[in-house]
């Protein structure tokens, strides 16, 4: 299922955010967090948003030699989308997730959250590269709560990351550059254990403290 696209230009340009003026009510039994104050409804956004099911996809986690199905994760989860050769937005997204992981470990709820960063550069982000990248980012890779997901091909990355999650990305040219880069949107999702989106943080600099607070509410549900 492809997300709605008529607002994509606005999303890519940074128009959409968490602030807005429509308060359409917080009554939704599928989520723990109240509806965010925003301009658009979930149905109008080009990505999965508050109260909607997370896309039903299964992707390899090559570092762990397993597959992960997004709707079968038994804990609340955090998802974001990156590529390991990025030196601007992606390190911030991964560092934020790592900060949440560190807080979970230090506060004894590490078994109550799963981290699912997903690459859209499967050509370079193989298992060896992802493990090295995780170590460089000081991720606790061997606890079983962190899985780097890797679509099997560039076409699969496009259909999942862009088509299902609404995270736009485009590779720089020329195509044969060894160190090609990507222009891409920034999104981090907080999904509850029942597979519903609690928050879609559409920002290049998500705040770990905000995610930790939101996660606490979701965990206590």
């Amino acid at each position: 299922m492809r997300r709605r696209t008529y607002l994509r230009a606005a999303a890519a340009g940074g128009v959409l955010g968490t602030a807005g003026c429509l308060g359409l009510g917080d009554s939704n039994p599928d989520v723990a967090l109240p509806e965010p104050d925003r301009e658009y409804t979930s149905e109008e956004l080009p990505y999965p948003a508050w109260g909607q099911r997370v896309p039903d996809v299964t992707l390899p986690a090559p570092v762990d030699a397993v597959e992960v199905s997004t709707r079968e994760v038994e804990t609340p989860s955090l998802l974001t989308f990156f590529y390991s050769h990025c030196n601007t937005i992606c390190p911030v997204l991964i560092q934020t997730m790592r900060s949440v992981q560190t807080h979970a470990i230090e506060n004894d709820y590490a078994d109550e959250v799963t981290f699912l960063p997903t690459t859209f550069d499967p050509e370079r982000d193989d298992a060896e590269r992802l493990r090295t990248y995780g170590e460089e980012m000081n991720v606790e890779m061997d606890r079983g709560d962190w899985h780097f997901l890797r679509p099997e091909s560039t076409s699969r990355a496009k259909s999942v990351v862009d088509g299902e999650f609404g995270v736009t990305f485009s590779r720089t040219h020329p195509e044969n550059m060894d160190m090609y880069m990507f222009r891409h949107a920034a999104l981090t999702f907080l999904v509850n254990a029942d597979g519903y989106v609690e928050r879609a943080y559409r920002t290049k600099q998500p705040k770990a403290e905000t995610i930790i607070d939101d996660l606490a509410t979701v965990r206590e549900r």
Side-chain angles (χ1 to χ4, degrees), residues 43-175:
E43 290 72 21
E44 292 173 320
L45 292 170
Y47 49 82
W50 179 82
Q52 296 183 321
R53 294 294 303 276
V54 68
D56 186 9
V57 297
T58 299
L59 293 172
V63 175
D64 314 292
V66 298
E67 290 191 334
V68 175
S69 297
T70 52
R71 290 190 183 175
E72 295 180 8
V73 179
E74 296 181 350
T75 68
S77 58
L78 283 173
L79 296 88
T80 199
F81 304 87
F82 78 105
Y83 69 108
S84 69
H85 288 82
C86 177
N87 56 17
T88 55
I89 299 171
C90 300
V92 177
L93 299 176
I94 300 300
Q95 287 168 2
T96 298
M97 293 185 74
R98 183 205 64 191
S99 294
V100 178
Q101 184 195 42
T102 299
H103 188 271
I105 294 169
E106 293 178 349
N107 291 273
D108 300 322
Y109 64 92
D111 59 347
E112 298 177 37
V113 58
T114 301
F115 302 90
L116 302 174
T118 302
T119 179
F120 45 82
D121 185 18
E123 288 186 297
R124 293 181 294 184
D125 286 343
D126 58 14
E128 181 180 357
R129 171 63 185 172
L130 290 171
R131 174 168 282 281
T132 299
Y133 183 67
E135 292 170 352
E136 291 172 351
M137 299 297 290
N138 297 316
V139 173
E140 293 286 346
M141 295 287 293
D142 298 320
R143 297 188 58 86
D145 61 350
W146 185 289
H147 303 288
F148 282 117
L149 303 186
R150 176 183 177 270
E152 299 92 329
S153 64
T154 55
S155 60
R156 176 67 169 156
K158 193 69 174 178
S159 66
V160 170
V161 177
D162 188 344
E164 296 284 352
F165 284 94
V167 177
T168 58
F169 64 93
S170 59
R171 178 172 161 168
T172 58
H173 296 279
E175 291 290 337

Side-chain angles (χ1 to χ4, degrees), residues 28-49:
N28 187 328
D30 297 319
V31 290
L33 295 174
E35 184 170 12
D37 183 24
R38 56 193 174 163
E39 186 175 357
Y40 299 98
T41 66
S42 294
E43 290 72 21
E44 292 173 320
L45 292 170
Y47 49 82

Side-chain angles (χ1 to χ4, degrees), residues 171-191:
R171 178 172 161 168
T172 58
H173 296 279
E175 291 290 337
N176 61 355
M177 285 175 57
D178 290 336
M179 284 304 295
Y180 59 85
M181 307 296 278
F182 288 91
R183 300 179 185 89
H184 64 93
L187 265 169
T188 301
F189 295 97
L190 171 58
V191 179

